[in-house]
Amino acid sequence: MSGSEKLCYNEPTIFTGGNYPMLTFRKGFKDGVPIALGYLSVAFAFGMLAVEKGLPLWSPVLLSISNFTGTGQFAGIDLISSNAGLWEVIFTILVINIRYMLMSLSLSQKLVRDMPVWQRMVIAFGNTDEIFGVCLQQKEPLTMRYMMGIILCAYSGWNAGTVAGVLAGSALPAMVRTALGIALYAMFIAIIIPPAKESKPIMKVIVLSVLLSCVFSYVPGISGLGNGWTIIICGVISAGLGAYFFPLTMKDEQGAVR
Amino acid sequence: MSIGKVLLVISIMALCTYLPRMLPLALFRRKIKNQYISSLLCYLPYGILAAMVFPDIFSSTASIISGIAGTATALLLAYRKRGLLPVAVSACVTVFVAERLLELIGIL
């Protein structure tokens, strides 16, 4: 099974004591730049929308600082502007965010093994979809300094974008805004397609997940399930079948390092 | 909504975002040895990201036609292993151009 071994590594034996020279803060920060640029536009739209919905100007900024998540924050300004009850807030946000449990579980397997709990707890705050996606591309175990670099870079973009969006109101013309709407999706495509080209099992998992996701969105009756659940169900079913039919052997995983 | 309630809602949201991210990272510290589970965890990100992109990407722009054009550009460039930024920028430019063309022929 060529290719998939690049994506699931075992810890290399040549480096010891959690000292992985490749994944520096600088490298993390650099890898965070495309994410930050994507975030600028999305957070900009978020800030504008929040102002349009009549929220107090400080609230979208506080949301971005404390939440650092896309979908949840967009849902949040709807919840606030419709004066939602607290249980509705809890339920909606949890359903949207439950996918993070799977991503964090996956990420936990890629961190350097001796990383202390407090560092893991700091990293957890920055485990957004995009940062997770870029981390996925790294072949070495992820170090704290690399994670700090990528998170700080992306976090700056997210908050700068929010502030700019709030200040600008709707200064950005609509035609530019709609064109930017596709940016983050395109980035995800750039993350998943190259590995899929190398590995047939990954390609099959992706195709299956896309088909399932389309069924969930377009077939009447089950299309009202909500995005949070749909993503989980599609991800678990497609990866579950992938793992069943194309289990990775130890050899695959060991070949992973180089 | 009063300022107090807005603050409360934002705090609750922050907690409901942080906990799902933090708990698995803090609790799962060992390497998973089980072959099925480790294979599952390897494939899972691809399944999740794919489901997040499709079909929502088609409705992420002003018209489904420009959405499809942008998606096709992204797929093609990603297949040629271009980086994240070139792929994202090219998709945006494609959408922008497609939407001006659609305006021109009166669809948008």
Side-chain angles (χ1 to χ4, degrees), chain B residues 15-82:
Chain B
L15 209 62
C16 292
T17 307
Y18 181 62
L19 287 181
R21 283 175 175 172
M22 186 272 281
L23 291 175
L25 266 172
L27 298 179
F28 276 86
R29 305 194 53 198
R30 271 184 302 169
K31 197 97 194 149
I32 293 171
K33 297 283 182 206
N34 178 295
Q35 191 194 25
Y36 181 77
I37 303 289
S38 60
S39 305
L40 179 79
L41 286 178
C42 173
Y43 293 132
L44 202 51
Y46 298 98
I48 291 178
L49 293 181
M52 284 177 64
V53 173
F54 294 97
D56 290 5
I57 188 171
F58 300 124
S59 48
S60 67
T61 58
S63 143
I64 191 162
I65 302 173
S66 60
I68 289 172
T71 308
T73 307
L75 282 173
L76 185 73
L77 293 180
Y79 191 76
R80 293 188 180 166
K81 300 199 172 180
R82 300 294 147 84

Side-chain angles (χ1 to χ4, degrees), chain A residues 193-207:
Chain A
I193 294 298
K197 199 178 163 186
E198 306 289 320
S199 155
K200 282 214 173 92
I202 288 179
M203 179 64 96
K204 287 174 183 163
V205 168
I206 289 174
V207 169

Side-chain angles (χ1 to χ4, degrees), chain A residues 17-258:
Chain A
N19 179 29
Y20 301 99
M22 297 285 286
L23 295 184
T24 56
F25 180 88
R26 212 185 147 86
K27 166 96 165 85
F29 202 87
K30 217 178 121 211
D31 287 353
V33 169
I35 304 180
L37 291 174
Y39 278 0
L40 271 177
S41 59
V42 176
F44 191 91
F46 167 75
M48 273 177 4
L49 197 67
V51 175
E52 253 172 52
K53 294 220 172 210
L55 266 66
L57 296 185
W58 50 268
S59 63
V61 180
L62 188 62
L63 266 170
S64 284
I65 291 173
S66 63
N67 279 245
F68 193 26
T69 184
T71 324
Q73 287 183 210
F74 276 99
I77 53 178
D78 278 339
L79 291 166
I80 292 173
S81 67
S82 65
N83 200 13
L86 294 183
W87 283 111
E88 193 185 346
V89 172
I90 293 174
F91 186 74
T92 310
I93 301 300
L94 276 182
V95 167
I96 290 174
N97 289 334
I98 217 151
R99 70 175 185 284
Y100 287 128
M101 295 197 78
L102 300 175
M103 294 189 186
S104 280
L105 188 60
S106 196
L107 191 69
S108 77
Q109 300 294 301
K110 289 187 79 82
L111 297 176
V112 290
R113 203 183 298 175
D114 52 5
M115 189 181 283
V117 172
W118 72 267
Q119 291 188 351
R120 291 167 177 261
M121 290 174 78
V122 172
I123 285 174
F125 178 75
N127 188 19
T128 66
D129 302 319
E130 293 76 16
I131 289 175
F132 173 73
V134 170
C135 288
L136 194 67
Q137 299 179 313
Q138 303 306 323
K139 278 139 206 163
E140 277 185 23
L142 301 162
T143 58
M144 180 66 176
R145 48 182 195 276
Y146 176 82
M147 293 306 293
M148 282 298 95
I150 192 168
I151 290 170
L152 281 178
C153 183
Y155 189 57
S156 315
W158 187 244
N159 287 302
T162 308
V163 171
V166 168
L167 294 179
S170 40
L172 200 68
M175 54 168 127
V176 178
R177 251 186 296 150
T178 65
L180 289 175
I182 204 169
L184 289 180
Y185 290 106
M187 239 171 72
F188 285 136
I189 289 182
I191 288 171
I192 63 174
I193 294 298
K197 199 178 163 186
E198 306 289 320
S199 155
K200 282 214 173 92
I202 288 179
M203 179 64 96
K204 287 174 183 163
V205 168
I206 289 174
V207 169
L208 179 63
S209 182
V210 168
L211 290 177
L212 284 172
S213 176
C214 290
V215 168
F216 275 108
S217 333
Y218 296 131
V219 173
I222 53 173
S223 56
L225 199 55
N227 225 0
W229 291 119
T230 308
I231 288 166
I232 308 241
I233 294 170
C234 298
V236 169
I237 293 180
S238 59
L241 289 174
Y244 182 78
F245 287 110
F246 318 109
L248 300 164
T249 60
M250 277 314 274
K251 196 170 141 275
D252 281 333
E253 294 193 26
Q254 256 149 25
V257 187
R258 291 281 166 257

